[in-house]
Amino acid sequence: MPTHFARTMFLTSAICGLLTTTALSGPDDNSLTWAAAKEVVSTDTYYDTSRESVVLAQHVYDGLVFWDSVAKKFEPLLAASWKQIDPVTWEFELREGVTFHDGSEFGPEDVVYTFNFITNEANGVLNYGDIRWLKGAEKIDDNTVRLHLIEPFPAILSNLALVLPIVPEGHFDDAPEGSGGNKRFVAVAPVGTGPYKVTSFKAGEAIVMEVNPDYFDDSPKGKPSIDKITYRTIADGSTQVAELMTGGVDWIWGMNNDQAEALSAAPEITSVNAPTMRISYLTFDLKGTSGTDVFTKRPVRQAVGHAIDRARIAKFLMGANSQVVNAACHPVQFGCTADVAVYDYDPEKAKELLKEAGYPDGFTVNLYGYRDREVTEAIMGDLAKVGIKTDLNWLKYAAARDLIVKGKASLANMTWGSSSIPDVSAITSYFFGGGPDDPANDEQVQADIREGDLSSDPDARIAAYTKALQRIADEVYWLPLFSYTKNYSYNAALEFTPTADELPQFYAAHWK
């Protein structure tokens, strides 16, 4: 196998060779083309929850609230102000003078329609888990709406800012019918109030957005500088790199470290490795329903923790901005704690624990994965060194998740990005709060999480979540591994700054 140095030198030579014969396209037409592998089927987060769709949604739509990930504060967006009336009632005064891309005026009817539509489970929004706290909305007057919650939910502003875009009244009413007679809401043309409007949508090929000339002046997103943004689906990563090198695209992300390092050698390209809010973790069959009961034994799960060199994987496969994660949350999220049991890399300790559990010679299990195969294979290599042999089953995310929920996956390497919501309710509560994705169904953990989810006292929330996270770590219900980073490479003439929420703000970018 070629060494890291050899691969990097080959890529660097190839890139420099291409750049000497093909000039990068410049910002002459004030447009930006970015590419990724995902075939986006919708630009709203209700019917496409992919990261790329979330990014597009931030440009096409606005929510009531804006989250400034740098200043770490919420700012008014479609709502001019808000207040909490009681633990389950929030009131929002709406911004005036805002219009949708179709020319209709924004008002309380649109907010009420949006939230009453998505809370109707029959409409099948994919991010229904993000609104489990919401009962519905009502118009109070021509400029005021109230949101009624099923129960108190302190993280309401985070969700309103990041995953709940506002659509115009009646937006989904004329959705075409599918072959089974059900409405195909995913096929509805995108209409928002955001800084860009979609002018062409070819699923699996390209989505074109042009600047919204009527975007309101004092939006915290600002007035966009770039006139047109095109998203292209390019399934092959090497093709993405080649397109960047030859000027077919201006911006790509998610390359491996070798590719990013090689691209950084080109003066016409800027490459950056930046942190994200995604973490990698292992989840276990804790009930023994997958055909093996090995992971029902706590010492075995502890052995797995000590067998994996998480720091090495993070450094060499993720990059300098990755960090080992010990709690079942991302370190930057509100309520996350570092005060949990730590399973340092110690292969001999792992072997001792396996012997204690009755497996002195180890065992063989199926391991499921869906993303970043080199990470999963590195985990497999470390496990093999202590006697845990794994047969890899490589699936798409939905298929892997389905097996986990059904208790048919003995061991799985998964990731979670929390929809960039800076609160542990978006991860710890989701996976250990008693829902279908909860592998443990630990009543003590669920009670602590519920206390944290419902309390309006920040200190009480932190205390409750800490207890839950400590028990999850003590029992090794999950094995968190490390935080993800993202490699970004783009035309050096572009003024662009990555943010830790993994939501590139093209509306804030401009050509130098």
Side-chain angles (χ1 to χ4, degrees):
M1 179 179 294
T3 65
H4 167 78
F5 176 78
R7 289 195 304 270
T8 301
M9 290 302 293
F10 174 80
L11 284 166
T12 302
S13 176
I15 288 169
C16 290
L18 272 168
L19 291 175
T20 58
T21 58
T22 308
L24 284 171
S25 63
D28 296 340
D29 61 352
N30 196 27
S31 67
L32 170 70
T33 299
W34 66 293
K38 175 66 180 177
E39 293 186 12
V40 174
V41 298
S42 175
T43 58
D44 70 55
T45 54
Y46 300 129
Y47 294 103
D48 188 340
T49 57
S50 67
R51 175 62 47 171
E52 286 72 19
S53 178
V54 175
V55 173
L56 289 167
Q58 292 289 317
H59 291 75
V60 178
Y61 303 91
D62 292 319
L64 293 177
V65 181
F66 179 77
W67 168 246
D68 187 328
S69 62
V70 177
K72 308 293 185 188
K73 65 178 182 178
F74 296 101
E75 295 184 15
L77 192 49
L78 289 181
S81 64
W82 55 84
K83 61 182 177 181
Q84 187 172 12
I85 304 299
D86 58 47
V88 293
T89 310
W90 286 68
E91 188 169 279
F92 295 82
E93 293 293 325
L94 303 183
R95 188 187 295 270
E96 298 183 55
V98 176
T99 57
F100 285 98
H101 299 154
D102 63 2
S104 61
E105 186 176 347
F106 164 73
E109 296 84 2
D110 307 302
V111 179
V112 171
Y113 172 84
T114 298
F115 290 137
N116 289 344
F117 177 87
I118 64 176
T119 53
N120 182 348
E121 197 167 0
N123 291 326
V125 298
L126 298 184
N127 61 337
Y128 192 77
D130 293 329
I131 52 172
R132 64 192 183 280
W133 43 270
L134 181 59
K135 182 184 295 183
E138 69 166 329
K139 175 181 175 179
I140 300 302
D141 58 37
D142 289 343
N143 207 42
T144 310
V145 295
R146 281 186 181 175
L147 299 188
H148 299 285
L149 282 56
I150 295 171
E151 57 189 14
F153 186 61
I156 178 175
L157 296 179
S158 295
N159 287 48
L160 291 175
L162 293 163
V163 293
L164 301 177
I166 302 300
V167 298
E169 183 181 17
H171 180 67
F172 293 110
D173 292 358
D174 295 325
E177 285 191 1
S179 56
N182 295 323
K183 291 272 192 175
R184 294 190 64 248
F185 298 120
V186 70
V188 174
V191 178
T193 63
Y196 287 89
K197 55 184 179 181
V198 175
T199 56
S200 176
F201 193 118
K202 296 180 180 179
E205 296 183 29
I207 299 169
V208 180
M209 305 184 297
E210 295 183 15
V211 71
N212 175 10
D214 300 317
Y215 195 53
F216 53 97
D217 292 333
D218 53 348
S219 167
K221 294 181 179 179
K223 287 277 193 177
S225 172
I226 295 173
D227 291 336
K228 183 171 74 172
I229 297 175
T230 301
Y231 171 76
R232 288 180 58 193
T233 299
I234 302 178
D236 180 66
S238 297
T239 304
Q240 291 178 29
V241 170
E243 289 268 18
L244 178 66
M245 293 188 297
T246 56
V249 300
D250 303 299
W251 188 101
I252 60 175
W253 65 351
M255 307 77 64
N256 64 42
N257 287 341
D258 283 355
Q259 290 173 319
E261 184 177 342
L263 284 167
S264 68
E268 295 88 351
I269 295 173
T270 297
S271 289
V272 178
N273 179 267
T276 76
M277 282 182 60
R278 181 173 299 275
I279 70 167
S280 178
Y281 65 93
L282 291 180
T283 185
F284 306 95
D285 169 21
L286 300 173
K287 299 180 177 64
T289 57
S290 62
T292 178
D293 65 354
V294 292
F295 295 118
T296 64
K297 301 173 183 179
R298 180 169 170 260
V300 172
R301 303 194 298 270
Q302 292 175 315
V304 171
H306 288 298
I308 300 172
D309 191 347
R310 294 177 292 164
R312 176 181 59 84
I313 295 173
K315 178 180 178 181
F316 289 105
L317 296 184
M318 287 294 109
N321 288 295
S322 178
Q323 59 181 308
V324 170
V325 174
N326 296 306
C329 50
H330 193 287
V332 304
Q333 290 176 308
F334 176 87
C336 197
T337 179
D339 185 20
V340 297
V342 175
Y343 299 94
D344 290 326
Y345 179 55
D346 189 341
E348 294 307 312
K349 178 67 174 176
K351 292 176 183 178
E352 292 174 11
L353 286 163
L354 289 174
K355 183 176 181 181
E356 174 189 327
Y359 304 102
D361 300 320
F363 52 80
T364 300
V365 293
N366 287 318
L367 171 63
Y368 296 83
Y370 83 101
R371 178 180 181 136
D372 299 307
R373 192 176 183 122
E374 59 185 355
V375 170
T376 306
E377 289 177 345
I379 292 168
M380 294 171 66
D382 283 347
L383 292 176
K385 292 174 185 176
V386 302
I388 301 176
K389 299 178 180 63
T390 50
D391 294 325
L392 180 59
N393 296 264
W394 202 250
L395 305 172
K396 291 186 176 181
Y397 173 81
R401 187 254 183 185
D402 187 55
L403 289 175
I404 294 167
V405 170
K406 292 178 179 178
K408 295 182 179 180
S410 49
L411 179 66
N413 177 207
M414 304 296 284
T415 77
W416 190 250
S418 297
S419 297
S420 298
I421 294 172
D423 191 282
V424 297
S425 61
I427 179 169
T428 314
S429 303
Y430 184 93
F431 285 101
F432 294 97
D437 293 270
D438 189 341
N441 281 312
D442 185 314
E443 292 183 358
Q444 178 180 328
V445 170
Q446 290 171 4
D448 291 333
I449 286 175
R450 186 164 179 80
E451 181 181 346
D453 285 349
L454 299 182
S455 175
S456 58
D457 180 348
D459 291 335
R461 293 189 73 208
I462 290 171
Y465 288 136
T466 295
K467 288 192 293 183
L469 289 163
Q470 287 174 337
R471 181 164 173 80
I472 292 166
D474 287 344
E475 296 296 327
V476 205
Y477 290 148
W478 257 24
L479 182 68
L481 299 171
F482 51 80
S483 62
Y484 262 70
T485 64
K486 202 91 168 187
N487 286 316
Y488 302 77
S489 290
Y490 46 92
N491 187 324
L494 182 69
E495 190 68 49
F496 170 82
T497 303
T499 52
D501 58 10
E502 204 178 347
L503 295 175
Q505 298 175 355
F506 297 125
Y507 53 76
H510 63 271
W511 292 106
K512 298 176 184 177

